[in-house]
């Protein structure tokens, strides 16, 4: 059994893989060696990979040592052609996401939308080339910024329905944030479809099902995309 650990800005996702199949997953608000050991206690772990978007700390090093884990960094080989120019600053989640997409849809042009703390949009070609992408604030960060940088606007959160326009301050904020981020994504998808044939669009991250519902046409939701990519990178380096 293989252990995959993905430490994001907000949550940590852990998973057990039997070859390419996900056996079990869990989302953690915080992580520790004890929690990880308990999660994997009923299985023999033969290999482990850890990805983090945060600074490597003492607890993560304990986990790495205990499981003899691979820690994803710029030196790790990946099964795609990475054309990103600043590898030192490329987020592990972005890299793993495009690897995962390339595994599920090989030899396809793919846009990967990761809707988490940040909104990242990445493009991989049908030749397996990672071309780069965009980074902007995620939904909750946009709500947070309106509350932080004004005196009177309240802190709101993602709503299931998105009004076209608001008729009071609350609905105006919801419309501005949610319609705004949808318009941003639709514009990127439209531009990519104009340049790349047979384009696959996949959404992942904590808010992926919201975007799947709102975007509707030819959109795939895969909440475990980064985990799948990390598992593939682990296999590629063994």
């Amino acid at each position: 059994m293989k252990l995959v650990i993905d430490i994001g800005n907000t949550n940590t996702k852990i998973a057990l893989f039997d070859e390419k199949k996900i056996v079990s997953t869990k989302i953690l608000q915080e992580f520790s060696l004890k929690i990880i050991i308990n999660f994997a206690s009923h299985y023999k772990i033969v290999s482990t990979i850890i990805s983090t978007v945060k600074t490597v700390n003492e607890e993560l090093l304990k986990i790495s040592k205990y499981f003899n884990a691979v820690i994803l960094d710029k030196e790790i080989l990946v099964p795609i052609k990475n054309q990103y120019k600043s590898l030192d600053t490329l987020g592990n989640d972005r890299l793993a996401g495009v690897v995962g997409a390339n595994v599920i849809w090989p030899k396809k042009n793919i846009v990967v939308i990761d809707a988490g703390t940040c909104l990242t949009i990445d493009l991989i070609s049908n030749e397996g080339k990672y071309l780069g992408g965009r980074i902007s604030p995620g939904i909750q960060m946009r709500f947070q910024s309106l509350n932080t940088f004004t005196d009177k606007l309240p802190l709101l959160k993602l709503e299931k329905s998105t009004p076209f326009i608001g008729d009071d301050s609350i609905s105006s904020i919801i419309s501005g944030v949610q319609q705004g981020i949808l318009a941003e994504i639709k514009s990127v998808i439209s531009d990519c479809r104009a340049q790349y044939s047979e384009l696959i669009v996949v959404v992942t991250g904590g808010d992926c099902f919201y975007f799947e519902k709102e975007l509707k046409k030819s959109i795939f939701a895969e909440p475990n995309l980064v985990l799948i990519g990390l598992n593939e990178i682990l296999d590629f380096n063994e």
Side-chain angles (χ1 to χ4, degrees):
M1 202 69 69
K2 294 173 290 181
L3 176 62
V4 174
I5 302 171
D6 172 33
I7 302 169
N9 287 300
T10 304
N11 296 318
T12 293
K13 276 188 169 184
I14 53 179
L16 292 168
F17 279 79
D18 181 6
E19 299 295 338
K20 306 294 185 183
K21 181 182 178 182
I22 298 178
V23 174
S24 179
T25 63
K26 191 171 185 178
I27 298 176
L28 308 173
Q29 301 299 315
E30 58 183 28
F31 67 93
S32 68
L33 176 58
K34 182 178 179 181
I35 291 172
I36 304 297
I37 289 174
N38 287 339
F39 174 75
S41 61
H42 298 297
Y43 301 91
K44 181 181 178 182
I45 304 300
V46 296
S47 58
T48 301
I49 187 168
I50 300 172
S51 168
T52 180
V53 298
K54 300 179 180 180
T55 303
V56 175
N57 60 23
E58 184 178 346
E59 193 64 26
L60 191 147
L61 290 174
K62 287 180 183 178
I63 296 168
S64 174
K65 184 177 180 180
Y66 184 89
F67 289 102
N68 191 28
V70 172
I71 297 180
L72 181 59
D73 60 24
K74 66 174 184 175
E75 305 299 330
I76 299 295
L77 298 175
V78 294
I80 58 171
K81 301 168 187 176
N82 192 345
Q83 297 189 339
Y84 208 72
K85 291 182 179 179
S86 56
L87 294 180
D88 288 340
T89 62
L90 175 60
N92 289 339
D93 51 347
R94 295 176 67 194
L95 179 60
V98 293
V99 170
N102 195 56
V103 169
I104 300 172
W105 297 280
K107 298 181 180 180
K108 296 290 185 181
N109 297 310
I110 312 166
V111 171
V112 178
I113 300 167
D114 193 334
T117 304
C118 294
L119 175 71
T120 61
I121 301 173
D122 292 289
L123 180 64
I124 184 165
S125 75
N126 55 15
E127 298 174 328
K129 294 179 180 178
Y130 171 47
L131 305 177
R134 298 182 180 182
I135 305 172
S136 63
I139 289 179
Q140 197 54 42
M141 194 183 294
R142 297 179 194 219
F143 280 125
Q144 183 73 53
S145 67
L146 290 174
N147 174 251
T148 299
F149 295 107
T150 65
D151 288 331
K152 295 183 178 180
L153 295 182
L155 177 59
L156 303 178
K157 61 182 181 180
L158 175 65
E159 295 290 337
K160 292 181 180 180
S161 61
T162 305
F164 176 65
I165 58 171
D167 56 10
D168 57 23
S169 293
I170 299 298
S171 58
S172 293
I173 293 171
I174 294 169
S175 176
V177 169
Q178 296 182 196
Q179 289 287 2
I181 200 167
L182 287 170
E184 178 182 337
I185 293 173
K186 288 175 182 177
S187 174
V188 171
I189 293 172
S190 177
D191 289 346
C192 287
R193 281 182 171 152
Q195 296 186 53
Y196 298 94
S197 62
E198 298 181 359
L199 186 74
I200 300 291
V201 181
V202 55
V203 291
T204 191
D207 295 324
C208 69
F209 292 113
Y210 166 76
F211 287 105
E212 181 193 37
K213 176 177 71 72
E214 292 293 331
L215 296 171
K216 296 175 183 175
K217 291 187 293 184
S218 302
I219 304 295
F220 298 93
E222 178 46 79
N224 295 317
L225 189 68
V226 172
L227 296 174
I228 292 168
L230 290 173
N231 181 61
E232 193 69 18
I233 293 169
L234 180 59
D235 285 348
F236 193 70
N237 283 273
E238 289 191 327

